[in-house]
Amino acid sequence: MDLLSQSKAAPDSNACVVVIDDDAEFRESLGRLLRVVSLQSRTFASVADFLAAQLPDGPTCLILDIRLPGQSGLDFQRDLVTANVKLPIVFMTGYGDIPMTVQAMKGGAIEFLTKPFRDQDLLDAVNVGLARDRARRQNKAASDTLRARFEVLTPRERTILFRVAEGRLNKQIAGDMGITETTVKVHRSNMMKKIKAGSLVELCRMIDRLKVAPDGAETSS
Amino acid sequence: MDLLSQSKAAPDSNACVVVIDDDAEFRESLGRLLRVVSLQSRTFASVADFLAAQLPDGPTCLILDIRLPGQSGLDFQRDLVTANVKLPIVFMTGYGDIPMTVQAMKGGAIEFLTKPFRDQDLLDAVNVGLARDRARRQNKAASDTLRARFEVLTPRERTILFRVAEGRLNKQIAGDMGITETTVKVHRSNMMKKIKAGSLVELCRMIDRLKVAPDGAETSS
DNA sequence: AACGGGTCTAAACCAAGGTTTAAAGTTCGA
DNA sequence: TCGAACTTTAAACCTTGGTTTAGACCCGTT
């Protein structure tokens, strides 16, 4: 969102492609290819090297070789899934087989390319990956601000929030909780202000978003 | 997900596994295996044979050979995706390669098994497929009844429904449409009865479901 | 021409939501 | 112990939502 942010079509200001491959020449070749299409890239020889650096803060796509010194690409993918890190991954390999491919794709890989591959195939996959990560980040950002607002609610305000989201009336909520309707109204009013919901339907959608993405998970198309 | 898993939870009365493979002996062998775990199956030698029959009406999972007389398994998958038929597919093949695998998995396949495979691997995949189809059917059934109710709404009732779902007040809707608040209230009331929404939050969720699944699509986990 | 469905409205009424003011009890940490 | 945050309530008031009754108009079909 800066002054020069994507002049017009420019898909991203700070998108970054991370290449992990143990072949130095190949890494450089990929870096050049990406530069041609105006994509930043950072290259590493191993997973360990990548982990030693820090994650880019913009939309990111991983290009991973399957066979790597130390941890393999597939192992790394499994770790990322376990750690709930949803980086899009494009796999490359010279020595792949079908079970590896299935595992990679089940793990959510964007593409599984066998070397040698056409440059365009890689670029297409990277663009899909970046688009997916962009969408995921926007989604996550929205969920995070929502969660932050939810955190400041008092216990009473939270329970009333959920009752309201169930469609219960103030009167019913008051009965459920053993307090008066006035009190419910006060809590409800404070809750709506804190969570910045302008209407009941807005609140409803906020709640549903909170419930769907309890820890940053999401369903990308 | 073990061999006897059905005996206890009995996940389905009328689940059906459809096997399409040109090897008659193999078909029969699969049929026996499925019968052991109490799964109905129907076998076909080709896609054409399957299409000539009619789709089972319960939860279904397809087991497809890649290489088939006539249309190949991958072609058939592509057609199903195009036709928006979301049957879960488990692929089997004796002569697969990585691009095929990638295409199949991108197309939403549950599994891609290379012959020979372990019985348990197939059964696991079939159970995942059936579970997914079961969930999809439930989802679709709910969306369908909702859509049916939406269809009986008059044009006025529909526009008011959407305005309400945007969080607009009766007064604002009246202003937007150039009619009185009383009229809005009447349409709104009739609309709520016809669509069987007991509260505003219920309506809100109904609308969101209609919008998310405009033609039976859905996001399975 | 008669009928039904859809649209529109007024008037009157009741229920539910929302705000404000003012006050008081609890709990917990500084 | 003091203060801050949380919780609770009454009372009064206003807005919004929802229903009913009764009537009117338009339009297409029978």
Side-chain angles (χ1 to χ4, degrees):
Chain A
M1 296 283 187
D2 65 316
L3 287 170
L4 299 176
S5 75
Q6 34 278 61
S7 49
K8 201 134 205 180
D12 258 299
S13 42
N14 56 343
C16 181
V17 179
V18 171
V19 178
I20 310 184
D21 193 304
D22 61 341
D23 179 341
E25 201 174 317
F26 196 79
R27 285 203 300 277
E28 280 166 34
S29 152
L30 278 187
R32 276 194 301 276
L33 170 63
L34 292 165
R35 208 168 307 120
V36 168
V37 296
S38 314
L39 280 173
Q40 277 185 64
S41 64
R42 295 169 62 183
T43 62
F44 302 91
S46 72
V47 169
D49 287 0
F50 170 60
L51 291 175
Q54 50 195 351
L55 269 172
D57 56 353
T60 305
C61 182
L62 233 57
I63 301 182
L64 260 188
D65 196 359
I66 292 283
R67 183 177 296 186
L68 286 172
Q71 199 178 28
S72 85
L74 283 176
D75 289 344
F76 186 40
Q77 180 190 37
R78 190 181 20 71
D79 288 356
L80 289 177
V81 169
T82 306
N84 207 21
V85 176
K86 297 170 187 302
L87 281 179
I89 301 180
V90 175
F91 280 108
M92 307 172 298
T93 182
Y95 312 90
D97 59 24
I98 289 181
M100 276 183 191
T101 312
V102 172
Q103 181 186 335
M105 297 304 286
K106 276 188 182 176
I110 304 290
E111 190 47 281
F112 193 99
L113 299 167
T114 47
K115 297 179 184 177
F117 47 79
R118 293 187 306 138
D119 288 351
Q120 193 55 51
D121 287 344
L122 179 79
L123 293 177
D124 287 348
V126 164
N127 282 323
V128 169
L130 287 176
R132 197 172 291 186
D133 202 43
R134 225 170 282 134
R136 191 198 55 97
R137 277 163 186 274
Q138 286 179 355
N139 203 325
K140 178 164 166 38
S143 292
D144 283 353
T145 64
L146 219 58
R147 192 165 315 282
R149 289 180 201 158
F150 179 80
E151 299 294 346
V152 307
L153 297 182
T154 69
R156 268 334 206 189
E157 286 162 355
R158 289 181 197 189
T159 69
I160 286 176
L161 174 146
F162 288 121
R163 302 281 183 186
V164 171
E166 287 164 8
R168 310 275 294 165
L169 303 178
N170 286 343
K171 193 183 295 185
Q172 298 173 316
I173 300 174
D176 296 343
M177 300 176 67
I179 57 181
T180 62
E181 204 182 332
T182 310
T183 309
V184 173
K185 287 182 177 181
V186 171
H187 287 317
R188 180 169 178 168
S189 175
N190 293 334
M191 176 269 284
M192 292 292 278
K193 275 171 197 142
K194 284 188 186 175
I195 211 167
K196 291 193 168 64
S199 66
L200 184 50
V201 306
E202 236 183 288
L203 180 75
C204 182
R205 298 206 166 105
M206 286 175 168
I207 307 301
D208 289 349
R209 160 160 247 151
L210 276 179
K211 286 190 173 171
V212 166
D215 63 340
E218 103 289 9
T219 54
S220 62
S221 62
Chain B
M1 292 274 191
D2 67 317
L3 285 168
L4 299 175
S5 64
Q6 331 298 99
S7 58
K8 203 153 208 159
D12 258 298
S13 40
N14 56 344
C16 181
V17 179
V18 172
V19 178
I20 309 184
D21 193 303
D22 61 340
D23 180 340
E25 201 173 319
F26 196 80
R27 285 202 300 276
E28 279 166 35
S29 152
L30 279 188
R32 275 193 302 277
L33 171 62
L34 292 165
R35 208 167 306 121
V36 168
V37 296
S38 313
L39 279 172
Q40 277 185 64
S41 65
R42 295 168 62 183
T43 62
F44 301 91
S46 71
V47 170
D49 287 0
F50 170 60
L51 291 174
Q54 49 194 352
L55 270 171
D57 56 353
T60 305
C61 181
L62 234 57
I63 302 183
L64 260 188
D65 196 358
I66 292 283
R67 183 177 294 187
L68 286 173
Q71 199 178 29
S72 85
L74 282 177
D75 290 342
F76 186 41
Q77 179 189 39
R78 188 179 23 70
D79 289 355
L80 288 178
V81 169
T82 306
N84 207 22
V85 176
K86 298 171 185 303
L87 281 178
I89 302 180
V90 175
F91 280 107
M92 308 172 296
T93 183
Y95 311 91
D97 59 25
I98 288 180
M100 276 184 193
T101 312
V102 172
Q103 182 187 334
M105 298 305 285
K106 276 188 181 176
I110 304 291
E111 194 38 288
F112 193 100
L113 298 167
T114 49
K115 298 180 183 176
F117 48 79
R118 293 187 307 136
D119 287 352
Q120 191 57 54
D121 287 342
L122 180 78
L123 293 177
D124 286 349
V126 165
N127 281 322
V128 169
L130 287 176
R132 198 172 289 186
D133 202 43
R134 224 170 282 133
R136 192 198 53 98
R137 277 162 185 276
Q138 287 179 356
N139 204 325
K140 176 162 167 38
S143 292
D144 284 353
T145 65
L146 220 57
R147 191 165 314 282
R149 289 180 201 158
F150 179 78
E151 299 294 346
V152 307
L153 297 182
T154 68
R156 273 327 211 191
E157 286 163 356
R158 289 182 197 189
T159 69
I160 286 176
L161 174 146
F162 288 120
R163 303 282 182 183
V164 170
E166 286 164 9
R168 311 275 293 164
L169 302 179
N170 286 345
K171 193 183 294 184
Q172 299 173 315
I173 299 175
D176 296 343
M177 299 176 65
I179 57 181
T180 62
E181 203 183 334
T182 310
T183 309
V184 174
K185 286 183 178 180
V186 172
H187 287 317
R188 179 169 179 168
S189 175
N190 293 334
M191 175 271 284
M192 292 291 279
K193 274 170 197 144
K194 284 188 187 175
I195 211 166
K196 291 194 167 67
S199 66
L200 183 50
V201 307
E202 237 183 285
L203 181 75
C204 181
R205 298 207 166 106
M206 286 176 169
I207 308 299
D208 289 349
R209 160 159 247 153
L210 276 179
K211 287 190 173 171
V212 165
D215 64 339
E218 103 287 10
T219 53
S220 64
S221 64

